[in-house]
Amino acid sequence: MKNDLPVSLAGLSGPAGLLRSSEPLSLSPVPAPATSLLEEAADLLVVHMDFAAALDRCERGCESLAVDPECESSMEVKCSLCIVGIQALAEMNRWREVLSWVLQYYQVPERLPPKILELCILLYSKVKEPHVMLEVDSYWLRDLTNQSLPSYGTLMELHLQHVLLPLGQFVEAEELVQGSEAFNKEQQLEALKTISERRCQWVQQEDTQSAPEEQPVTTREKLLGSMSRKFLTILTVLRRALGSMSSHFCSSPYKKMLLAAFILCLVVVRLDPGWSNSAIRHGWLYFLRSTGLQFKTKQLYDMLQVFCLCCCAVCLEDFNQALQGLLRPIY
Protein backbone atom coordinates (compact mmCIF):
# COMPACT_ATOMS: atom_id res chain seq x y z
CA MET A 1 0.00 0.00 0.00
CA LYS A 2 1.11 3.52 -0.70
CA ASN A 3 0.91 4.50 2.95
CA ASP A 4 3.02 1.59 4.21
CA LEU A 5 6.28 2.39 2.40
CA PRO A 6 8.87 5.02 3.19
CA VAL A 7 8.55 8.12 1.03
CA SER A 8 11.63 9.53 -0.62
CA LEU A 9 11.71 13.10 -1.88
CA ALA A 10 14.99 12.70 -3.70
CA GLY A 11 13.24 12.61 -7.06
CA LEU A 12 11.35 15.85 -6.52
CA SER A 13 12.76 18.72 -8.52
CA GLY A 14 12.42 22.40 -7.92
CA PRO A 15 13.82 25.04 -5.64
CA ALA A 16 12.89 22.96 -2.63
CA GLY A 17 15.58 20.39 -3.34
CA LEU A 18 17.56 18.79 -0.54
CA LEU A 19 20.79 20.04 0.86
CA ARG A 20 23.77 17.75 0.38
CA SER A 21 26.59 17.42 2.86
CA SER A 22 29.06 18.43 0.12
CA GLU A 23 27.16 21.59 -0.85
CA PRO A 24 28.51 24.84 0.61
CA LEU A 25 26.05 26.85 2.65
CA SER A 26 25.88 30.38 1.26
CA LEU A 27 24.38 31.94 4.34
CA SER A 28 24.84 35.20 6.13
CA PRO A 29 26.45 35.12 9.55
CA VAL A 30 24.17 33.13 11.87
CA PRO A 31 24.62 31.53 15.26
CA ALA A 32 27.30 28.87 14.93
CA PRO A 33 25.28 26.08 16.62
CA ALA A 34 22.48 26.36 14.03
CA THR A 35 24.88 26.25 11.07
CA SER A 36 26.80 23.36 12.57
CA LEU A 37 23.61 21.43 13.27
CA LEU A 38 22.40 21.99 9.70
CA GLU A 39 25.60 20.61 8.20
CA GLU A 40 25.56 17.68 10.60
CA ALA A 41 21.89 16.91 9.82
CA ALA A 42 22.53 16.96 6.07
CA ASP A 43 25.50 14.62 6.48
CA LEU A 44 23.51 12.18 8.63
CA LEU A 45 20.66 12.21 6.14
CA VAL A 46 22.61 11.75 2.90
CA VAL A 47 25.79 9.91 3.89
CA HIS A 48 24.95 7.86 6.98
CA MET A 49 21.20 7.57 6.32
CA ASP A 50 20.55 7.98 10.02
CA PHE A 51 17.19 9.68 9.65
CA ALA A 52 16.28 9.80 13.33
CA ALA A 53 19.56 11.49 14.19
CA ALA A 54 19.16 13.91 11.28
CA LEU A 55 15.68 14.86 12.51
CA ASP A 56 17.02 15.40 16.00
CA ARG A 57 19.70 17.81 14.70
CA CYS A 58 17.05 19.71 12.73
CA GLU A 59 14.84 20.14 15.78
CA ARG A 60 17.73 21.32 17.91
CA GLY A 61 18.82 23.74 15.20
CA CYS A 62 15.30 25.25 14.88
CA GLU A 63 15.06 25.65 18.66
CA SER A 64 18.40 27.47 18.73
CA LEU A 65 17.06 29.99 16.20
CA ALA A 66 14.04 30.91 18.29
CA VAL A 67 16.00 33.71 19.92
CA ASP A 68 16.05 35.87 16.79
CA PRO A 69 13.40 34.40 14.45
CA GLU A 70 13.00 37.55 12.31
CA CYS A 71 16.60 37.70 11.23
CA GLU A 72 16.85 37.02 7.50
CA SER A 73 19.87 34.75 7.82
CA SER A 74 18.17 32.84 10.64
CA MET A 75 15.08 32.38 8.48
CA GLU A 76 17.18 30.89 5.69
CA VAL A 77 18.88 28.42 8.03
CA LYS A 78 15.55 27.56 9.61
CA CYS A 79 14.06 26.85 6.19
CA SER A 80 16.99 24.59 5.30
CA LEU A 81 16.69 22.75 8.60
CA CYS A 82 12.98 22.15 7.95
CA ILE A 83 13.69 20.84 4.45
CA VAL A 84 16.15 18.29 5.83
CA GLY A 85 13.69 17.42 8.62
CA ILE A 86 10.87 16.84 6.12
CA GLN A 87 13.04 14.43 4.17
CA ALA A 88 14.02 12.59 7.37
CA LEU A 89 10.35 12.19 8.40
CA ALA A 90 9.41 10.93 4.94
CA GLU A 91 12.23 8.36 4.95
CA MET A 92 10.99 7.06 8.32
CA ASN A 93 7.47 6.75 6.90
CA ARG A 94 6.29 9.52 9.19
CA TRP A 95 5.09 11.74 6.36
CA ARG A 96 1.74 12.25 8.13
CA GLU A 97 3.59 14.31 10.74
CA VAL A 98 5.30 16.60 8.23
CA LEU A 99 2.76 19.41 8.13
CA SER A 100 2.22 19.57 11.88
CA TRP A 101 5.96 19.33 12.48
CA VAL A 102 6.64 22.30 10.18
CA LEU A 103 3.81 24.40 11.58
CA GLN A 104 5.17 24.13 15.08
CA TYR A 105 8.05 26.33 13.94
CA TYR A 106 6.01 28.70 11.74
CA GLN A 107 2.74 28.77 13.74
CA VAL A 108 0.45 29.76 10.82
CA PRO A 109 0.33 28.58 7.17
CA GLU A 110 0.71 32.11 5.81
CA ARG A 111 4.25 32.31 7.18
CA LEU A 112 5.51 29.15 5.54
CA PRO A 113 8.43 29.82 3.15
CA PRO A 114 7.64 29.08 -0.52
CA LYS A 115 10.27 26.32 -0.64
CA ILE A 116 8.67 24.45 2.29
CA LEU A 117 5.16 24.89 0.95
CA GLU A 118 6.25 23.57 -2.43
CA LEU A 119 7.92 20.56 -0.85
CA CYS A 120 4.81 19.78 1.23
CA ILE A 121 2.56 19.99 -1.84
CA LEU A 122 4.78 17.60 -3.79
CA LEU A 123 5.10 15.24 -0.83
CA TYR A 124 1.37 14.85 -0.17
CA SER A 125 0.70 14.63 -3.89
CA LYS A 126 3.19 11.79 -4.15
CA VAL A 127 1.49 9.81 -1.37
CA LYS A 128 -1.95 10.48 -2.94
CA GLU A 129 -3.16 12.64 -0.04
CA PRO A 130 -3.57 16.09 -1.67
CA HIS A 131 -6.50 17.04 0.57
CA VAL A 132 -4.07 17.57 3.45
CA MET A 133 -2.73 20.68 1.73
CA LEU A 134 -6.06 22.09 0.56
CA GLU A 135 -6.71 24.42 3.48
CA VAL A 136 -3.07 25.32 4.05
CA ASP A 137 -2.60 26.32 0.42
CA SER A 138 -5.79 28.37 0.44
CA TYR A 139 -4.64 30.39 3.44
CA TRP A 140 -1.21 30.93 1.93
CA LEU A 141 -2.49 31.97 -1.50
CA ARG A 142 -5.02 34.45 -0.07
CA ASP A 143 -2.37 36.27 1.93
CA LEU A 144 -1.57 39.66 0.35
CA THR A 145 2.08 39.55 1.38
CA ASN A 146 2.59 36.20 -0.32
CA GLN A 147 0.92 37.43 -3.52
CA SER A 148 3.80 39.82 -4.07
CA LEU A 149 6.42 37.05 -3.94
CA PRO A 150 8.11 36.01 -7.22
CA SER A 151 7.26 32.35 -6.57
CA TYR A 152 3.54 33.02 -6.05
CA GLY A 153 2.60 32.02 -9.60
CA THR A 154 4.59 28.79 -9.36
CA LEU A 155 2.91 27.80 -6.10
CA MET A 156 -0.52 28.65 -7.43
CA GLU A 157 0.12 26.40 -10.42
CA LEU A 158 1.30 23.61 -8.10
CA HIS A 159 -1.82 24.03 -6.00
CA LEU A 160 -3.91 23.83 -9.15
CA GLN A 161 -2.19 20.78 -10.64
CA HIS A 162 -1.48 18.73 -7.50
CA VAL A 163 -4.34 19.64 -5.15
CA LEU A 164 -7.48 21.05 -6.78
CA LEU A 165 -7.59 18.98 -9.96
CA PRO A 166 -6.81 15.60 -8.32
CA LEU A 167 -9.61 16.31 -5.83
CA GLY A 168 -12.08 17.13 -8.60
CA GLN A 169 -12.63 20.72 -7.46
CA PHE A 170 -12.93 22.15 -10.94
CA VAL A 171 -15.16 25.11 -10.05
CA GLU A 172 -12.68 26.27 -7.39
CA ALA A 173 -9.84 25.83 -9.90
CA GLU A 174 -11.60 28.00 -12.49
CA GLU A 175 -12.34 30.69 -9.91
CA LEU A 176 -8.69 30.67 -8.79
CA VAL A 177 -7.39 31.09 -12.34
CA GLN A 178 -9.89 33.75 -13.36
CA GLY A 179 -9.52 35.77 -10.17
CA SER A 180 -5.74 35.80 -9.98
CA GLU A 181 -3.37 38.36 -11.47
CA ALA A 182 -0.43 35.96 -11.38
CA PHE A 183 -1.46 34.57 -14.79
CA ASN A 184 -1.59 36.61 -17.95
CA LYS A 185 -4.34 36.13 -20.52
CA GLU A 186 -2.54 33.39 -22.40
CA GLN A 187 -1.70 31.50 -19.21
CA GLN A 188 -5.31 31.77 -18.05
CA LEU A 189 -6.59 30.28 -21.29
CA GLU A 190 -4.08 27.45 -21.08
CA ALA A 191 -5.00 26.77 -17.45
CA LEU A 192 -8.74 26.79 -18.22
CA LYS A 193 -8.14 24.38 -21.09
CA THR A 194 -6.27 22.06 -18.75
CA ILE A 195 -9.12 22.24 -16.23
CA SER A 196 -11.66 21.37 -18.93
CA GLU A 197 -9.61 18.36 -20.06
CA ARG A 198 -9.21 17.09 -16.51
CA ARG A 199 -12.95 17.47 -15.92
CA CYS A 200 -13.67 15.28 -18.97
CA GLN A 201 -11.18 12.68 -17.74
CA TRP A 202 -12.81 12.76 -14.31
CA VAL A 203 -16.28 12.12 -15.78
CA GLN A 204 -14.99 9.28 -17.96
CA GLN A 205 -13.26 7.70 -14.98
CA GLU A 206 -16.47 7.83 -12.93
CA ASP A 207 -18.39 6.19 -15.77
CA THR A 208 -15.76 3.47 -16.05
CA GLN A 209 -15.86 2.77 -12.31
CA SER A 210 -19.66 2.57 -12.26
CA ALA A 211 -19.81 0.22 -15.28
CA PRO A 212 -18.72 -2.98 -13.38
CA GLU A 213 -21.49 -2.39 -10.84
CA GLU A 214 -24.13 -2.18 -13.57
CA GLN A 215 -22.76 -5.10 -15.60
CA PRO A 216 -24.04 -7.94 -13.31
CA VAL A 217 -27.52 -6.43 -13.34
CA THR A 218 -27.51 -6.23 -17.14
CA THR A 219 -26.23 -9.80 -17.46
CA ARG A 220 -28.85 -11.05 -15.04
CA GLU A 221 -31.62 -9.29 -16.92
CA LYS A 222 -30.40 -10.76 -20.21
CA LEU A 223 -30.27 -14.24 -18.65
CA LEU A 224 -33.80 -13.93 -17.25
CA GLY A 225 -35.05 -12.64 -20.60
CA SER A 226 -33.46 -15.58 -22.41
CA MET A 227 -34.94 -18.07 -19.95
CA SER A 228 -38.38 -16.47 -20.29
CA ARG A 229 -38.24 -16.74 -24.06
CA LYS A 230 -37.20 -20.40 -23.85
CA PHE A 231 -39.99 -21.14 -21.36
CA LEU A 232 -42.57 -19.47 -23.59
CA THR A 233 -41.30 -21.49 -26.57
CA ILE A 234 -41.68 -24.74 -24.61
CA LEU A 235 -45.20 -23.80 -23.54
CA THR A 236 -46.14 -22.99 -27.14
CA VAL A 237 -44.85 -26.34 -28.40
CA LEU A 238 -46.65 -28.16 -25.56
CA ARG A 239 -49.91 -26.34 -26.29
CA ARG A 240 -49.68 -27.28 -29.94
CA ALA A 241 -48.97 -30.92 -29.05
CA LEU A 242 -51.91 -31.10 -26.67
CA GLY A 243 -54.10 -29.42 -29.24
CA SER A 244 -53.05 -31.97 -31.84
CA MET A 245 -53.77 -34.86 -29.46
CA SER A 246 -57.14 -33.40 -28.56
CA SER A 247 -58.04 -33.02 -32.23
CA HIS A 248 -57.00 -36.61 -32.86
CA PHE A 249 -59.17 -38.01 -30.08
CA CYS A 250 -62.10 -35.80 -30.92
CA SER A 251 -62.03 -36.88 -34.55
CA SER A 252 -61.68 -40.59 -33.74
CA PRO A 253 -64.63 -43.05 -34.05
CA TYR A 254 -64.63 -43.52 -30.30
CA LYS A 255 -65.79 -39.99 -29.60
CA LYS A 256 -69.50 -40.68 -29.71
CA MET A 257 -69.16 -43.99 -27.88
CA LEU A 258 -67.16 -42.44 -25.02
CA LEU A 259 -69.55 -39.54 -24.80
CA ALA A 260 -72.54 -41.87 -24.64
CA ALA A 261 -70.85 -43.94 -21.93
CA PHE A 262 -70.07 -40.82 -19.96
CA ILE A 263 -73.67 -39.56 -20.16
CA LEU A 264 -74.98 -42.98 -19.18
CA CYS A 265 -72.72 -43.17 -16.13
CA LEU A 266 -73.60 -39.62 -15.17
CA VAL A 267 -77.33 -40.38 -15.35
CA VAL A 268 -76.99 -43.61 -13.40
CA VAL A 269 -74.56 -42.48 -10.72
CA ARG A 270 -75.41 -38.80 -10.15
CA LEU A 271 -79.10 -38.43 -11.07
CA ASP A 272 -80.65 -41.75 -10.04
CA PRO A 273 -81.34 -41.72 -6.23
CA GLY A 274 -81.97 -45.45 -6.21
CA TRP A 275 -79.03 -46.47 -8.28
CA SER A 276 -77.74 -48.90 -5.61
CA ASN A 277 -80.94 -51.04 -5.96
CA SER A 278 -81.43 -50.70 -9.69
CA ALA A 279 -81.02 -53.37 -12.31
CA ILE A 280 -78.16 -51.44 -13.88
CA ARG A 281 -76.23 -51.71 -10.65
CA HIS A 282 -76.78 -55.51 -10.59
CA GLY A 283 -75.71 -55.66 -14.20
CA TRP A 284 -72.46 -53.89 -13.42
CA LEU A 285 -71.80 -56.21 -10.48
CA TYR A 286 -72.50 -59.29 -12.59
CA PHE A 287 -70.16 -58.06 -15.33
CA LEU A 288 -67.34 -57.33 -12.89
CA ARG A 289 -67.77 -60.60 -10.97
CA SER A 290 -67.64 -62.53 -14.20
CA THR A 291 -64.14 -61.17 -14.66
CA GLY A 292 -63.16 -62.51 -11.24
CA LEU A 293 -63.08 -59.11 -9.48
CA GLN A 294 -64.97 -58.46 -6.27
CA PHE A 295 -66.18 -54.92 -5.43
CA LYS A 296 -68.28 -53.50 -2.70
CA THR A 297 -70.93 -50.91 -3.39
CA LYS A 298 -68.70 -47.96 -2.48
CA GLN A 299 -65.85 -49.36 -4.55
CA LEU A 300 -68.18 -49.67 -7.50
CA TYR A 301 -69.28 -46.12 -7.02
CA ASP A 302 -65.69 -44.89 -6.89
CA MET A 303 -64.79 -46.84 -9.99
CA LEU A 304 -67.66 -45.31 -11.87
CA GLN A 305 -66.56 -41.86 -10.73
CA VAL A 306 -63.07 -42.48 -12.08
CA PHE A 307 -64.52 -43.74 -15.33
CA CYS A 308 -66.59 -40.59 -15.59
CA LEU A 309 -63.53 -38.44 -15.11
CA CYS A 310 -61.62 -40.34 -17.78
CA CYS A 311 -64.44 -39.88 -20.20
CA CYS A 312 -64.55 -36.22 -19.27
CA ALA A 313 -60.85 -35.83 -20.02
CA VAL A 314 -61.14 -37.48 -23.41
CA CYS A 315 -64.29 -35.68 -24.44
CA LEU A 316 -63.39 -32.34 -22.91
CA GLU A 317 -64.84 -30.27 -25.69
CA ASP A 318 -68.27 -31.90 -25.53
CA PHE A 319 -68.28 -32.25 -21.74
CA ASN A 320 -69.26 -28.67 -21.02
CA GLN A 321 -72.06 -28.71 -23.53
CA ALA A 322 -73.35 -32.08 -22.34
CA LEU A 323 -73.15 -31.13 -18.68
CA GLN A 324 -74.89 -27.83 -19.23
CA GLY A 325 -77.61 -29.62 -21.24
CA LEU A 326 -78.15 -32.15 -18.47
CA LEU A 327 -78.11 -29.77 -15.54
CA ARG A 328 -80.10 -26.95 -17.15
CA PRO A 329 -83.51 -28.61 -16.52
CA ILE A 330 -82.64 -29.14 -12.85
CA TYR A 331 -81.84 -25.47 -12.19
Side-chain angles (χ1 to χ4, degrees):
M1 297 175 64
K2 61 180 173 54
N3 295 341
D4 296 333
L5 299 174
V7 179
S8 175
L9 302 181
L12 302 179
S13 60
L18 295 176
L19 290 177
R20 305 302 183 193
S21 59
S22 59
E23 295 177 355
L25 298 176
S26 56
L27 302 174
S28 303
V30 292
T35 305
S36 176
L37 289 170
L38 174 59
E39 293 178 349
E40 186 177 352
D43 187 69
L44 289 170
L45 176 69
V46 178
V47 179
H48 302 284
M49 301 185 69
D50 190 347
F51 308 122
L55 179 63
D56 177 70
R57 303 304 189 275
C58 293
E59 292 176 344
R60 288 165 54 186
C62 291
E63 293 173 357
S64 66
L65 295 174
V67 180
D68 190 9
E70 300 300 328
C71 177
E72 182 177 356
S73 57
S74 298
M75 293 175 63
E76 293 178 3
V77 175
K78 182 179 179 180
C79 178
S80 299
L81 287 168
C82 288
I83 291 174
V84 177
I86 290 172
Q87 175 68 8
L89 286 170
E91 293 291 351
M92 291 187 294
N93 197 28
R94 293 170 57 185
W95 54 267
R96 297 178 183 85
E97 306 173 26
V98 166
L99 189 59
S100 59
W101 183 81
V102 171
L103 287 176
Q104 71 177 333
Y105 300 114
Y106 289 96
Q107 286 75 46
V108 292
E110 294 86 345
R111 299 182 61 183
L112 288 175
K115 291 182 180 181
I116 293 180
L117 184 64
E118 177 184 354
L119 190 60
C120 290
I121 292 174
L122 295 174
L123 168 64
Y124 285 102
S125 175
K126 185 174 183 178
V127 296
K128 309 299 182 184
E129 298 287 346
H131 64 275
V132 177
M133 297 300 300
L134 182 61
E135 187 175 2
V136 174
D137 290 354
S138 300
Y139 284 129
W140 195 94
L141 293 172
R142 286 198 300 263
D143 187 77
L144 297 178
T145 304
N146 295 332
Q147 292 179 7
S148 61
L149 297 175
S151 56
Y152 180 83
T154 301
L155 287 170
M156 190 177 72
E157 185 176 357
L158 285 174
H159 177 65
L160 181 71
Q161 294 286 345
H162 296 280
V163 179
L164 292 180
L165 296 184
L167 294 176
Q169 299 194 9
F170 304 108
V171 176
E172 293 78 0
E174 290 175 346
E175 293 176 351
L176 178 64
V177 173
Q178 295 172 353
S180 175
E181 298 180 357
F183 289 166
N184 55 36
K185 191 65 176 180
E186 183 179 353
Q187 290 174 332
Q188 285 185 353
L189 293 176
E190 186 66 24
L192 292 174
K193 180 181 177 182
T194 302
I195 295 171
S196 178
E197 293 175 353
R198 293 291 295 271
R199 180 187 280 112
C200 294
Q201 295 175 3
W202 182 279
V203 173
Q204 292 176 358
Q205 185 177 2
E206 287 184 343
D207 294 340
T208 303
Q209 292 176 352
S210 60
E213 298 178 359
E214 298 175 356
Q215 187 63 28
V217 178
T218 304
T219 303
R220 184 170 178 268
E221 291 177 352
K222 291 182 178 179
L223 179 61
L224 291 177
S226 177
M227 292 177 63
S228 300
R229 287 193 296 270
K230 291 180 180 179
F231 183 68
L232 290 176
T233 304
I234 294 174
L235 289 180
T236 302
V237 174
L238 183 61
R239 181 181 63 81
R240 292 176 179 175
L242 293 176
S244 177
M245 293 175 62
S246 176
S247 300
H248 174 73
F249 279 107
C250 290
S251 62
S252 66
Y254 299 101
K255 176 181 178 181
K256 292 183 179 180
M257 184 180 67
L258 292 175
L259 180 60
F262 168 71
I263 294 175
L264 177 63
C265 292
L266 185 63
V267 171
V268 172
V269 177
R270 303 301 296 172
L271 302 181
D272 185 7
W275 77 277
S276 60
N277 298 322
S278 65
I280 297 177
R281 175 243 183 190
H282 292 288
W284 272 99
L285 290 175
Y286 177 79
F287 171 75
L288 293 173
R289 285 172 183 172
S290 66
T291 61
L293 300 174
Q294 301 294 327
F295 293 96
K296 295 182 180 179
T297 300
K298 186 176 184 305
Q299 293 175 336
L300 178 61
Y301 176 81
D302 294 338
M303 185 185 70
L304 291 176
Q305 291 278 22
V306 173
F307 180 71
C308 290
L309 292 175
C310 293
C311 294
C312 176
V314 175
C315 306
L316 186 59
E317 291 183 352
D318 296 328
F319 168 72
N320 290 332
Q321 298 178 0
L323 185 61
Q324 290 177 2
L326 289 172
L327 297 181
R328 189 178 296 110
I330 299 176
Y331 297 100

